[in-house]
Amino acid sequence: LADGANGDHDHSEPTMSKPFANEPPVDFTLDQSRQAMRDALAAERAAFGKDWPLVIGSETPTSGQWIDSVNPAKPSEKIGRVTAATKEQAEAAVQAALAAAPGWRATPADKRAAILDKMAALMREERYRLAALEVFEVGKAWVEADGDLAEAIDFCEFYAAEMRQLGRPQATFAVPGENSMQEYIPRGVGLVIAPWNFPLAILAGMTVAALVTGNTVVMKPAEQSSIVAARFMDLARRAGLPPGVLNLLTGHGEDVGEFLVNHPKIDFIAFTGSKEVGLKIWEAGGRTGKGQAQLKKVVCEMGGKNALIIDEDADLDEAVVGALYSAFGYQGQKCSALSRLIVLEACYDKFLARLVEATSNLTTQAPEEPATNVGPVVDKEAYERIKRYVEIGKGEARLAFEGKAPEGEGYFVAPTIFAEVPPTARVAREEIFGPVLAVLKAKDLTEAIAFANDTEFALTGGLYSRSPANIERVKRELTVGNLYINRTITGAIVARHPFGGFKMSGGGTKAGGRDYLLNFVFPRVVTENVLRRGFAPVDDSGGDHKLAQAGGTSGGMPGL
Ligand code: NAD
C-alpha cells in the first residue's frame, strides 16, 4: 500500500513469502534420519581431496599456496585444501566488490531477499551433506552439526523476511503539506571475518545480513573451516548472486585479514571471533586511512567466560543435565559455553558429586559415531592450549574429574572439572574454549551474583532456581547479553533468542534479532514540500495553467 500510495519509491512487486518459522532439527531417533546421515558421511568422505579456489568476481583463481583442511579426529585424513590468498588477490576482491556495488544496491530489496530464500532452500536440500562435512572438518557431533545447518537456514529466511519490511520506506511524523520518508541505504563494501566454531551459521549469518541490505562483501572465513566456507560460496552463487556481489577470500587472518581490515575501500567489518583479534579490528576500524570516504563501522562479537548459578533449591536433576550440556556440548567450543559453575554452599557437595558422576558417563570419541558426546577439539593449537590450562588448573584448584580421551592421533581432550576454584584463578577468569569447567562455591546468592559478574566478559549466563524472588533478582542483576533461567545457557535460536553480548564480549549487536540489519545500513530521509504556493504561470496562447512539473494536478495545491 505504501508503495502504491507514494508511487515514486520501489516499483518492484513485493514477493509473497510465508511468515518466518524456525527450521526444526533433524530427529536422529528415526532410522531413516540416521541412515541419511551415514550415507552423507560416506559420500563426503568419498569426495575428500578437492582443491578449492578463491572466488573474485567471476574468476576462480588460486595462488599456488594452499591451506590443508584435516579431520581433527584423525589429522592424517585430509579433507581438501583451499588457496591461501595473496594481498594482490585481496585487493582484487575489494575491487570486484566495488564494481558490483552499484548494480546490487539498485536491485530491489525483495529480489535480494528472494536470493536468501533460495540459499536457505539449497541448504535444506544439502542439509545432511553439509552437516556431515562439519562432522569431519570441525569435529561436531551429529546433533551439533545439524543445529548449525538449522541456524544457517534460519538466518537466511529471517533476514530475508526482515528486509522485506526494512526495504519499504516509512513515513516519518506526518504533517499536512509535507511528505517525509525514511529509508535505509547500504553502507557499501563489507568485510566478513568469521570463526570456525559455527562454520556455516555465523559465516552465513553475517554475510547474508550484509548482502540482503544491499552491500557487496568480501568473505574471509576461518582457516579451520575453509571447506565449509567454500561450499557456502558455491551455494550462494547457485542461488543467483551476481558475480562480485560476494567474494571468497580464504587465507590467513593475520595476513590478508589484516590487510583487508585496514583497506580504505572497506566500509564496514562484521567480525566474530576472539577478544584478542576483535580488539585489534575495533581499533583499526577507528583509523581513517588515505582515500577512505566514510567512517568504518565494526560489528564485533567476541568471547565469553560464562557463568551458571545453581541455587540451593534448584531442581538438581534438571541442573546437572543443563550444566553438563552447556559445558561440554561441542567440547566447550561455543562462545556461549558454560565455563564457571557457581554452586551455593547448601547444595554444593551433593550437586558436585552428581555432576562428576554424570560427566563420567560422557563418551569422548570420533564424532562420526552417532553416540558421541564429546569429539576432538578443532586443531593442534587448541589442543595444546587447553592442555596447558588443565595443568594450570591443577596448580590452582582441586581436580574433581578428568575423563579419558581416546588414544591415537586425534585432538581429543576429555571433559575436565576443577572444584573449589578460587574466583581469582586463571581457569576461572580466562576463556579456555574447551571442555574444562571451573566450579566455584558461593556462600549465598549475593556472593554467587558477585562472582558471576566479576569478569571482563558479558555474553551468556544462567540460573537454576525454584525461588521466584531469586529468579527476579538474578534477572535484574546478572550483567550478560543473554540470560537463561532453568535451562541450558547455549543453543540460542534465531529470532527467539537474539544473540550477543557487551563488555569484552561485543559491541551490543544481536545476531538473529530484529535490529541486526540496521548495522549494515545508513538511514536516510527524503522530505518533499507538497504544499505548493502561488499560481503556476498562465500560458498566454491557450489560457491553461502550466502546472508545476513534479506535482501532477489538483491535489494539495491550495492556490488552485
Ligand atoms: P579468532 O579470533 O582466532 O579468529 C576469527 C577470525 O579472525 C578468523 O577468520 C581468523 O582468520 C581471523 N583473524 C585472525 N587474526 C586476524 C587479524 N589480525 N586480522 C583480521 N582477521 C584475523 O577466533 P576463532 O578461534 O576462529 O573463534 C573462537 C573465538 O570466537 C572464541 O573467542 C569465541 O568465544 C568467539 N566467538 C564469539 C561468538 C559471539 O557471537 N560472540 C560466536 C562464536 C565464536
Side-chain angles (χ1 to χ4, degrees):
L1 254 185
D3 242 6
N6 289 298
D8 52 355
H9 292 282
D10 184 350
H11 292 277
S12 65
E13 286 292 314
T15 46
M16 297 302 292
S17 65
K18 55 183 184 353
F20 173 77
N22 290 113
E23 181 69 11
V26 165
D27 182 354
F28 286 114
T29 64
L30 303 176
D31 270 350
Q32 69 261 34
S33 308
R34 287 201 301 279
Q35 193 52 48
M37 190 65 180
R38 282 197 198 95
D39 293 346
L41 286 162
E44 282 301 319
R45 180 168 266 133
F48 281 176
K50 191 167 162 16
D51 290 347
W52 294 87
L54 309 172
V55 180
I56 299 176
S58 45
E59 310 280 305
T60 51
T62 60
S63 68
Q65 285 166 26
W66 299 94
I67 300 174
D68 283 341
S69 180
V70 300
N71 177 358
K74 194 180 168 199
S76 59
E77 185 170 52
K78 207 168 107 180
I79 293 165
R81 54 180 198 168
V82 296
T83 297
T86 61
K87 292 203 175 105
E88 291 68 34
Q89 288 167 326
E91 178 64 39
V94 175
Q95 295 306 328
L98 267 172
W104 184 241
R105 73 159 54 210
T107 304
D110 285 330
K111 274 205 185 130
R112 300 195 301 254
I115 294 181
L116 265 62
D117 283 341
K118 177 77 181 153
M119 286 186 200
L122 289 172
M123 286 177 191
R124 210 174 262 125
E125 269 172 34
E126 295 160 32
R127 181 161 181 168
Y128 286 97
R129 287 291 297 266
L130 289 166
L133 175 60
E134 292 194 11
V135 170
F136 287 126
E137 192 173 36
V138 295
K140 279 195 186 248
W142 290 16
V143 172
E144 302 288 343
D146 176 66
D148 192 54
L149 259 295
E151 191 175 353
I153 292 169
D154 279 353
F155 276 134
C156 293
E157 293 187 339
F158 179 67
Y159 292 147
E162 288 299 299
M163 191 61 209
R164 291 190 171 98
Q165 304 294 321
L166 199 69
R168 315 252 155 246
Q170 297 286 319
T172 62
F173 184 72
V175 292
E178 184 176 278
N179 183 353
S180 191
M181 304 296 289
Q182 176 159 335
E183 63 181 359
Y184 293 97
I185 58 167
R187 284 181 167 266
V189 175
L191 169 63
V192 168
I193 301 184
W196 48 265
N197 67 335
F198 288 88
L200 186 62
I202 294 183
L203 177 73
M206 292 192 288
T207 301
V208 301
L211 292 175
V212 80
T213 39
N215 304 283
T216 56
V217 171
V218 177
M219 183 165 76
K220 203 325 256 156
E223 294 85 325
Q224 298 90 333
S225 55
S226 291
I227 308 264
V228 171
R231 290 277 276 274
F232 170 60
M233 181 72 221
D234 176 58
L235 183 147
R237 293 170 92 192
R238 283 186 280 132
L241 280 183
V245 169
L246 178 61
N247 303 278
L248 173 68
L249 209 83
T250 44
H252 296 288
E254 57 283 5
D255 182 17
V256 284
E258 207 162 303
F259 172 80
L260 288 165
V261 163
N262 292 306
H263 199 292
K265 298 294 180 204
I266 290 291
D267 298 308
F268 65 94
I269 302 159
F271 169 82
T272 305
S274 64
K275 184 190 102 181
E276 288 65 33
V277 177
L279 292 185
K280 266 197 217 167
I281 293 178
W282 188 262
E283 190 184 334
R287 286 194 295 268
T288 312
K290 199 158 175 265
Q292 186 171 326
Q294 62 182 24
L295 304 179
K296 239 176 229 183
K297 163 107 180 176
V298 181
V299 176
C300 191
E301 304 286 347
M302 303 182 289
K305 187 71 193 174
N306 310 303
L308 174 64
I309 299 173
I310 310 294
D311 201 357
E312 55 189 42
D313 68 351
D315 177 338
L316 296 193
D317 291 336
E318 294 274 313
V320 166
V321 176
L324 202 71
Y325 182 70
S326 303
F328 303 126
Y330 190 35
Q331 296 80 270
Q333 300 175 114
K334 300 181 188 179
C335 51
S336 52
L338 164 64
S339 59
R340 294 181 299 147
L341 185 58
I342 303 168
V343 186
L344 265 69
E345 204 167 48
C347 64
Y348 183 90
D349 292 336
K350 198 165 149 199
F351 180 82
L352 185 65
R354 288 176 65 175
L355 181 76
V356 165
E357 183 62 32
T359 307
S360 70
N361 288 318
L362 296 180
T363 311
T364 303
Q365 63 183 11
E368 265 176 80
E369 295 303 322
T372 303
N373 302 113
V374 179
V377 299
V378 76
D379 59 14
K380 186 155 184 275
E381 203 182 312
Y383 173 85
E384 285 170 357
R385 187 192 63 242
I386 298 163
K387 284 291 203 188
R388 270 199 307 277
Y389 271 109
V390 170
E391 289 312 306
I392 291 169
K394 285 177 183 168
E396 291 181 320
R398 179 171 73 83
L399 179 68
F401 179 76
E402 189 172 15
K404 210 171 139 17
E407 307 278 321
E409 54 166 334
Y411 303 127
F412 291 99
V413 183
T416 304
I417 300 175
F418 290 107
E420 291 96 69
V421 178
T424 50
R426 285 183 65 190
V427 291
R429 304 199 74 80
E430 297 169 17
E431 189 185 44
I432 301 171
F433 222 58
V436 180
L437 179 63
V439 186
L440 288 75
K441 191 192 283 188
K443 63 177 188 296
D444 55 21
L445 189 62
T446 302
E447 190 172 69
I449 294 172
F451 285 169
N453 286 339
D454 180 21
T455 168
E456 60 177 339
F457 297 107
L459 194 48
T460 69
L463 168 73
Y464 275 91
S465 174
R466 283 188 283 203
S467 153
N470 289 355
I471 290 174
E472 282 315 305
R473 183 169 170 208
V474 166
K475 280 184 185 171
R476 278 195 310 273
E477 296 183 19
L478 223 64
T479 48
V480 292
N482 286 72
L483 176 60
Y484 298 101
I485 309 291
N486 288 324
R487 51 151 288 170
T488 55
I489 67 167
T490 58
I493 290 176
V494 172
R496 278 171 60 190
H497 318 124
F499 185 82
F502 48 97
K503 288 168 71 181
M504 287 300 136
S505 293
T509 38
K510 284 285 190 200
R514 300 214 62 175
D515 44 10
Y516 188 67
L517 293 186
L518 295 178
N519 293 299
F520 300 89
V521 290
F522 287 121
R524 180 171 181 262
V525 174
V526 177
T527 303
E528 181 182 356
N529 178 2
V530 290
L531 237 194
R532 293 178 179 92
R533 293 177 184 283
F535 293 96
V538 173
D539 179 351
D540 288 337
S541 61
D544 275 340
H545 289 124
K546 268 191 187 155
L547 296 176
Q549 297 261 321
T553 52
S554 56
M557 301 186 76
L560 290 177

